[in-house]
Amino acid sequence: MRLPRLVGLVCLLVIAVLTILGPSLSGFDPAKQNLRAILLPPGTDGHLLGTDNLGRDIAARILGGAQITLSLAALAVASAAAFGVGLGMLAGWRGGVTDRLLGALSDAVLALPGLLLVLLLAAIRPDSWWTLYAGLALTLWVEFFRVSRARTRVLTASPAVEAARLLGLGRWHVVRRHLWPDLSLQILTLAAFGAATVVTALATLGFISVGLRPPTPEWGVMMAELLPSWREAPWAIAAPVVALAATVLSLRLAAGSEG
Amino acid sequence: MKQPLHALALALLVAAGIGLPDAYAQTRTDVAVAAPWHVSGIDPAQDGYTFQRMEVGETLVDADATGALRPGLATDWTVSDDGLTWRFDIRENVVFHDGSALDAAAAASSLNRAMTRPGILSSVPLEAIEADGNAVVVRLSEPFSAVPAVLANYTTMILAPASFDAEGNVVAFIGTGPFAVDKVETPLSLAVRRFDDYWGEAPAIEAASYLSASRAETRALMAESGDADVAVTLDPAGYAQLKRVDGIAVEAVSIPRSIVLKLNLARGPLADKAAREALSLAIDREGIAAGILRFPDAAATQLFPPVLKGWYDADLPPLAYDPERAAELLAGLGWEKGDDGILTRDGARFALTLRTFPNRPELPLIAAALQDQWRAIGVDLAVSVGNSSEIPAGHQDGSLDVALYARNYGLTPDPVVNTVDDFGTGGGDWGAMNWDAPEVAEALTAALRQSDPEARSAAIHTVASALQQELPVIPIAWYQHTVAYPVALEGLVVDPLERTYGLSAVRWAR
Amino acid sequence: MAISLGKLTLGRIVQAAIVALVVGVVGFAMMEALPGDAAYRIAAGRYGYDMVTGAAAEQVRSELGLDRPAAERLLTWVGQTFTFDLGQSAVTGERVGHAIDHQLGHTVELALVAVAVALLIAVPIGVLAGLRPGSLFDRISAALAIVVRAMPAFLIGIVLMLVLAVELGLVPAAGHGHGGNFVLPALTLGIVLASVLTRVVRNAVAATVASDAFQFALHKGLPMRAAFLRHGVRNAAVPVVAYLGVQMALLLEGVVVVESVFSWPGIGHALTHAIFERDVPMLQGTALTLGLMFVLLSFLADLACRALDPRLNT
């Protein structure tokens, strides 16, 4: 395994542990305000990363944001992968009308740039985790579909699979023995990229006020809240910026990104 | 406007440490204003306030910075003894921007057209508006003391006959102000140039532009970088930042706008007066003023801010912060804390949803603060930040619990019209909801019809003290209107009524 | 791999039709599902929120026919979409086509400058890195590209705004109207595009350099520079142009974000505002235009690839 990938995976592990431990790690309630102690510098009164514009503990909010962001990423990617890989194998296996219909469906989703589709869907119900989830899963499944369809198509025509078929081994056997081992690695890579896309999209929509909204401690929302205080308290906005960049970078490195 | 080369030269000067306003002083004859509001269209009923503030359109009656009425396009006005007929003498030698002359007929037809659109005129018991000789005559079905104040509102700006098509749609904004429209690019900008045939004193600057920048931090950055000269409605952090910048002056002015919580009194928990009092006592107004608004004086002690002379009542006991007393009051009403820390009574949780909107950057922040402060006394408040129109919609269909907004009591120089709309019988979209207070409605009617100052002030006192005791809306803070401008821009007066940006009086220092 | 020009064109036409249908139907269904009353939202946009009353909303409702059945309005809309009659903005009353005309100009200006900036950054860096794969310069540029790609576009925009406009005072922070206003949005978008493009250029150049034809040219004694100009450029250009086509999605997404951050009066900015103000015709008009722009640009990239690489023509 190459070094960058290892670094990415280790960082991801750290991020995952921190996320699972959550806001309680900071010793503060991410929602608890203190209007008389706003924008405190890091380290003041036990606030590891200082306080935000409403006197809330930034570390607690970063961790709360991590839970929101990463749970969305995990769920959206898992659904997209399940849906995309399932349909992709079906299309690759069956070919014919099924393949063409599913292909047309994926083309229809790709007819619009992904973020645009998520933006439109997110507007159906503003400030809804579930709408964002649906929109992101809908745009992400296509990539899984295309890869697994192409691989399935190649593999089903391969001699090994044909031999297995001739031997009368069932569909599941073929999937388990021949398709899955080949696909799983690519799917993991795609999943890491997909998760990076979700994290970026969520923060972007939050920042331009069409995603999750305050007082949710979502990173993009936090950046929008803290941007006005950037000169007074540059550390405050630095926290979500670093959290976001580190997460996306780790995911991309773990995926084996070469740029 | 600035040329790219110009900007580059400027950048070098700034980099070399030479102050920006000085470098500009010799050559500039224009002013750029940055504000949060869109220029959605040219109909005065639409974003007319921008055309009023940019001094393109004028009203029959004007108001000075203290809110006192003064002649505008009407030189004088009188009311008949029965209070039913108002006469406004139209100023002579006034020409519209298209060169046509202003006369009573043009003014009356402009007002008649305004009557067909939403606006403040719909609050007036109008019978007819007609031209009579050189005067516009307003006939009423019942007395209404605030007609001149209403005719100072932007929706009653006088436009030339050529502004309208056959259906009454505005096809061009042809006003009478010291500036004429040069170019409108909806929804982001409006350019105006000096109108040389203006009836009053001609402005010193030749042109001005209005830029809509909806993000507060963008406006602050534009002011700092010199891309905008006059930046209005700054966020607290931007205000604090600009204060430290050399060559830029910042001003915060108390304006007749209050940040209030509207309560639906038909919601079970809110029907009790004591519960409303408890909710009010749980609000840390000074914390909000100091921590969010960054103006400690902005904490409201009553609904009407001191700038509303005659309506602000110094004798009223101020609203206080006392969460313990609040908890006692609620306990006295039979509310008990459940396992999740939220109060329950007869199996119902004390849970409410607050609606607010982001156009004024502090509102969502205050909503978040209220959520936290009410949770401390066991009230569960969900916050829904959406479009401002969801508040009147919720008022009309009854779906609203609580709403947070900034209400302008200076839409007309005399707030009686708004107050009647808000707190009169049946309440109003931006006022009380399901509040039954006949004595207040009666007092308001008296204030509306009376022109005798003493009787009026007694009626107003009744209204103000009833609002303070009953709390149909809970005042949070008094709005501070903030403006930043280069010190080299002389003569800028910040208008507390937000009627004008004051561009006709400014000049660049030599 | 070879697809006939006719088939390619047909594919893009189908894609355009799908865009129109998806935007029309999804957009409409979306507006129906939005909370609150459309008439109120539109009235607030029109008259300012101090003036929104039940009466104003009723007037908007009857004026725009918002009380007609949903199915009837949807059919009308889809019919109008296919005849390119986009209707009037529910907020400004301006014809959507007319508004988009203005916005499209601004967006295209911004996109062109951004692509130029991206090429100016990506081509020199990519070529230098690709000529010497594995060199220090190659590694640094690769690491940089990875880091920049991890940054959302809005973040790059903010950083540039704070550094160039506020700290250094070199360019205006936001707005539109003179040349200086281009700098920040175009640079932001350009950097976003370049972070991907640099690596594409680099890989294409590296592949070309490693190719037999190129090595043979070097053997013949041609200096590196001449060999590359003669044999490399054209071959390396194909994947770059192809990738530019793929990047159209990135470009359009970037346009929406960057315009919103810098108040650039283009289509992306109009779209986010239309969503907020619940301006059905404007929302669908802007989304449709962005979608069709995407199809058209992808098609142009297809054509450019074919022109550069005759093998693709059959």
Side-chain angles (χ1 to χ4, degrees):
Chain A
M1 195 183 290
R2 296 189 51 198
L3 183 67
R5 198 157 189 177
L6 196 66
V7 171
L9 284 171
V10 170
C11 288
L12 266 191
L13 197 69
V14 174
I15 292 170
V17 170
L18 288 174
T19 308
I20 290 166
L21 291 174
S24 56
L25 203 62
S26 69
F28 290 93
D29 175 352
K32 187 65 203 153
Q33 307 171 359
N34 182 356
L35 293 175
R36 287 170 179 80
I38 60 166
L39 302 172
L40 294 179
T44 321
D45 301 338
H47 295 285
L48 187 65
L49 298 175
T51 60
D52 74 356
N53 56 335
L54 293 173
R56 297 171 294 199
D57 184 69
I58 292 180
R61 293 179 66 72
I62 292 290
L63 292 168
Q67 291 189 330
I68 293 167
T69 304
L70 295 179
S71 64
L72 179 69
L75 211 67
V77 168
S79 322
F83 196 59
V85 173
L87 291 182
M89 283 165 113
L90 185 71
W93 188 283
R94 295 272 287 271
V97 182
T98 317
D99 183 51
R100 289 173 71 172
L101 275 179
L102 288 172
L105 186 65
S106 70
D107 282 348
V109 173
L110 286 182
L112 279 166
L115 191 73
L116 198 59
L117 197 56
V118 179
L119 187 78
L120 291 175
L121 291 172
I124 296 177
R125 272 192 61 194
D127 198 16
S128 156
W129 191 95
W130 289 102
T131 323
L132 288 166
Y133 157 73
L136 287 162
L138 183 67
T139 51
L140 286 176
W141 73 275
V142 179
E143 204 54 35
F144 291 97
F145 170 79
R146 281 159 44 120
V147 168
S148 44
R149 174 172 76 164
R151 285 312 297 168
T152 309
R153 197 184 278 163
V154 171
L155 286 169
T156 39
S158 74
V161 172
E162 246 168 84
R165 270 183 172 170
L166 285 176
L167 282 172
L169 293 167
R171 223 173 255 180
W172 276 116
H173 171 86
V174 175
V175 169
R176 230 177 43 234
R177 287 293 300 278
H178 300 279
L179 281 180
W180 186 248
D182 184 79
L183 265 177
S184 55
L185 207 71
Q186 293 187 50
I187 289 169
L188 276 181
T189 300
L190 277 184
F193 275 124
T197 308
V198 172
V199 174
T200 308
L202 184 65
T204 301
L205 296 182
F207 184 79
I208 60 175
S209 312
V210 289
L212 296 178
R213 293 183 173 180
T216 312
E218 191 274 310
W219 294 340
V221 171
M222 288 178 71
M223 285 183 228
E225 283 175 334
L226 293 169
L227 179 65
S229 317
W230 71 278
R231 258 198 192 165
E232 203 177 341
W235 62 83
I237 188 166
V241 168
V242 170
L244 175 66
T247 307
V248 178
L249 198 58
S250 307
L251 283 167
R252 297 187 72 95
L253 288 176
S257 164
E258 296 295 319
Chain B
M1 281 302 290
K2 303 164 220 167
Q3 298 299 306
L5 261 181
H6 207 121
L8 187 66
L10 183 71
L12 291 174
L13 287 174
V14 174
I18 300 168
L20 173 114
D22 296 334
Y24 250 25
Q26 308 300 320
T27 49
R28 293 214 39 201
T29 54
D30 64 316
V31 174
V33 178
W37 315 107
H38 272 178
V39 190
S40 298
I42 57 173
D43 191 323
Q46 210 164 334
D47 290 339
Y49 49 87
T50 297
F51 290 83
Q52 186 181 48
R53 291 171 189 172
M54 292 297 286
E55 299 173 75
V56 177
E58 294 178 307
T59 45
L60 290 187
V61 180
D62 195 11
D64 66 17
T66 68
L69 297 179
R70 65 180 179 195
L73 291 178
T75 49
D76 197 13
W77 49 89
T78 53
V79 60
S80 63
D81 292 337
D82 59 4
L84 292 176
T85 308
W86 288 79
R87 257 187 99 84
F88 293 83
D89 296 328
I90 300 300
R91 189 178 293 277
E92 286 177 15
N93 302 321
V94 173
V95 287
F96 288 106
H97 298 149
D98 65 351
S100 63
L102 168 73
D103 56 25
S109 78
S110 183
L111 289 173
N112 275 309
R113 188 251 164 213
M115 277 168 66
T116 65
R117 305 279 148 156
I120 198 97
L121 278 177
S122 57
S123 306
V124 183
L126 282 173
E127 290 265 280
I129 300 178
E130 312 148 345
D132 178 16
N134 195 33
V136 167
V137 177
V138 177
R139 291 187 210 288
L140 307 174
S141 55
E142 48 191 281
F144 191 89
S145 66
V147 169
V150 164
L151 291 182
N153 178 265
Y154 65 82
T155 55
T156 68
M157 283 187 293
I158 304 300
L159 266 60
S163 300
F164 309 104
D165 68 8
E167 285 92 49
N169 297 313
V170 182
V171 290
F173 197 105
I174 306 170
T176 56
F179 294 100
V181 172
D182 200 11
K183 198 168 155 200
V184 184
E185 271 190 69
T186 53
L188 291 180
S189 74
L190 164 67
V192 300
R193 65 192 138 69
R194 183 165 65 197
F195 177 51
D196 290 322
D197 295 327
Y198 182 54
W199 57 269
E201 198 178 327
I205 58 166
E206 283 167 16
S209 56
Y210 173 92
L211 308 164
S212 163
S214 47
R215 297 183 83 101
E217 57 270 34
T218 306
R219 292 193 296 281
L221 291 175
M222 288 168 82
E224 190 170 351
S225 65
D227 207 38
D229 300 306
V230 181
V232 301
T233 313
L234 302 160
D235 59 308
Y239 180 82
Q241 169 55 28
L242 287 171
K243 211 175 191 171
R244 291 197 284 268
V245 176
D246 283 341
I248 290 184
V250 286
E251 253 184 77
V253 181
S254 297
I255 59 172
R257 191 184 274 278
S258 298
I259 298 176
V260 298
L261 268 180
K262 172 192 178 83
L263 306 175
N264 179 358
L265 271 53
R267 284 283 179 273
L270 301 176
D272 302 312
K273 187 183 135 190
R276 299 198 296 273
E277 198 185 337
L279 290 176
S280 172
L281 284 168
I283 298 172
D284 178 8
R285 294 182 177 79
E286 282 171 16
I288 290 172
I292 296 177
L293 304 170
R294 315 293 278 277
F295 293 109
D297 295 344
T301 59
Q302 56 180 285
L303 180 63
F304 299 113
V307 65
L308 274 181
K309 292 190 186 65
W311 290 76
Y312 172 79
D313 195 333
D315 300 332
L316 288 178
L319 299 167
Y321 173 50
D322 189 348
E324 279 153 33
R325 172 93 187 108
E328 280 167 28
L329 281 173
L330 290 172
L333 289 169
W335 290 98
E336 287 171 19
K337 275 207 178 170
D339 298 333
D340 56 353
I342 299 303
L343 297 170
T344 55
R345 186 174 68 181
D346 307 333
R349 292 173 88 241
F350 203 138
L352 299 163
T353 299
L354 176 148
R355 294 187 196 180
T356 190
F357 50 92
N359 301 56
R360 293 188 181 271
E362 61 286 332
L363 292 181
L365 292 174
I366 294 175
L370 290 173
Q371 191 174 39
D372 190 54
Q373 291 165 10
W374 282 5
R375 196 175 47 184
I377 56 160
V379 174
D380 180 17
L381 183 72
V383 173
S384 157
V385 181
N387 186 286
S388 57
S389 62
E390 282 159 20
I391 294 169
H395 178 94
Q396 300 289 338
D397 66 16
S399 62
L400 187 82
D401 292 351
V402 183
L404 177 71
Y405 50 86
R407 177 59 161 156
N408 183 1
Y409 295 102
L411 275 179
T412 57
D414 181 340
V416 70
V417 184
N418 290 48
T419 319
V420 171
D421 278 355
D422 290 0
F423 303 108
T425 315
D429 287 350
W430 298 102
M433 182 168 181
N434 298 313
W435 183 47
D436 191 28
E439 78 286 356
V440 172
E442 204 174 294
L444 282 168
T445 313
L448 203 55
R449 294 189 179 175
Q450 279 287 352
S451 20
D452 169 46
E454 238 165 74
R456 240 186 140 231
S457 119
I460 291 169
H461 177 75
T462 309
V463 174
S465 45
L467 291 175
Q468 188 82 341
Q469 278 164 22
E470 296 272 332
L471 293 168
V473 302
I474 299 180
I476 308 283
W478 294 321
Y479 211 89
Q480 302 288 311
H481 182 54
T482 46
V483 181
Y485 55 92
V487 279
L489 192 62
E490 293 176 344
L492 189 85
V493 177
V494 180
D495 178 13
L497 291 177
E498 294 178 275
R499 289 174 58 83
T500 173
Y501 294 125
L503 300 183
S504 62
V506 303
R507 62 172 66 246
W508 289 97
R510 291 233 142 246
Chain C
M1 265 317 278
I3 303 169
S4 77
L5 188 61
K7 231 176 167 177
L8 196 74
T9 315
L10 189 69
R12 292 298 181 192
I13 289 174
V14 170
Q15 188 189 354
I18 292 172
V19 166
L21 205 66
V22 167
V23 168
V25 176
V26 169
F28 188 86
M30 189 190 91
M31 294 323 256
E32 287 295 304
L34 269 173
D37 181 341
Y40 274 94
R41 206 181 274 254
I42 292 161
R46 276 195 189 182
Y47 304 117
Y49 75 88
D50 280 330
M51 281 295 175
V52 185
T53 58
E58 282 315 311
Q59 190 179 347
V60 167
R61 198 189 311 282
S62 67
E63 188 185 317
L64 299 178
L66 293 175
D67 41 6
R68 285 182 298 154
E72 193 183 323
R73 280 179 288 146
L74 175 62
L75 279 180
T76 317
W77 161 256
V78 173
Q80 282 168 345
T81 313
F82 280 91
T83 54
F84 291 95
D85 177 5
L86 295 169
Q88 279 181 315
S89 160
V91 172
T92 63
E94 192 180 5
R95 294 207 67 78
V96 172
H98 184 254
I100 286 177
D101 223 25
H102 274 263
Q103 297 154 358
L104 189 60
H106 294 145
T107 297
V108 168
E109 271 173 15
L110 177 62
L112 285 178
V113 179
V115 169
V117 169
L119 289 171
L120 277 176
I121 299 172
V123 171
I125 298 180
V127 168
L128 280 178
L131 285 177
R132 283 177 187 66
S135 65
L136 184 66
F137 183 81
D138 185 28
R139 283 145 173 261
I140 291 176
S141 70
L144 212 65
I146 290 175
V147 173
V148 172
R149 279 210 72 182
M151 299 290 156
F154 77 89
L155 208 55
I156 296 176
I158 292 167
V159 171
L160 290 175
M161 185 197 275
L162 295 182
V163 174
L164 295 184
V166 181
E167 290 299 333
L168 302 176
L170 293 177
V171 288
H176 177 259
H178 51 94
N181 289 123
F182 265 108
V183 178
L184 285 179
L187 200 58
T188 306
L189 203 47
I191 288 175
V192 170
L193 297 176
S195 68
V196 186
L197 195 58
T198 308
R199 301 313 291 167
V200 176
V201 173
R202 179 256 177 219
N203 291 344
V205 171
T208 308
V209 169
S211 71
D212 294 343
F214 189 82
Q215 290 300 330
F216 181 70
L218 285 182
H219 267 290
K220 278 195 309 190
L222 271 181
M224 186 79 160
R225 188 191 166 89
F228 184 69
L229 285 179
R230 184 172 301 174
H231 297 277
V233 174
R234 199 182 175 94
N235 283 331
V238 178
V240 173
V241 173
Y243 210 84
L244 266 180
V246 178
Q247 275 195 304
M248 291 312 161
L250 197 60
L251 176 70
L252 286 177
E253 291 173 2
V255 156
V256 174
V257 174
V258 168
E259 285 185 352
S260 300
V261 172
F262 294 104
S263 305
W264 187 265
I267 300 225
H269 186 261
L271 172 68
T272 42
H273 269 96
I275 289 176
F276 192 78
E277 291 179 328
R278 221 179 177 192
D279 187 345
V280 185
M282 192 61 107
L283 176 133
Q284 295 186 321
T286 48
L288 186 67
T289 310
L290 280 171
L292 292 180
M293 221 165 112
F294 177 58
V295 177
L296 181 69
L297 290 171
S298 307
F299 184 56
L300 290 178
D302 291 343
L303 294 183
C305 277
R306 298 174 77 88
L308 279 169
D309 188 350
R311 281 171 299 178
L312 288 175
N313 287 314
T314 45

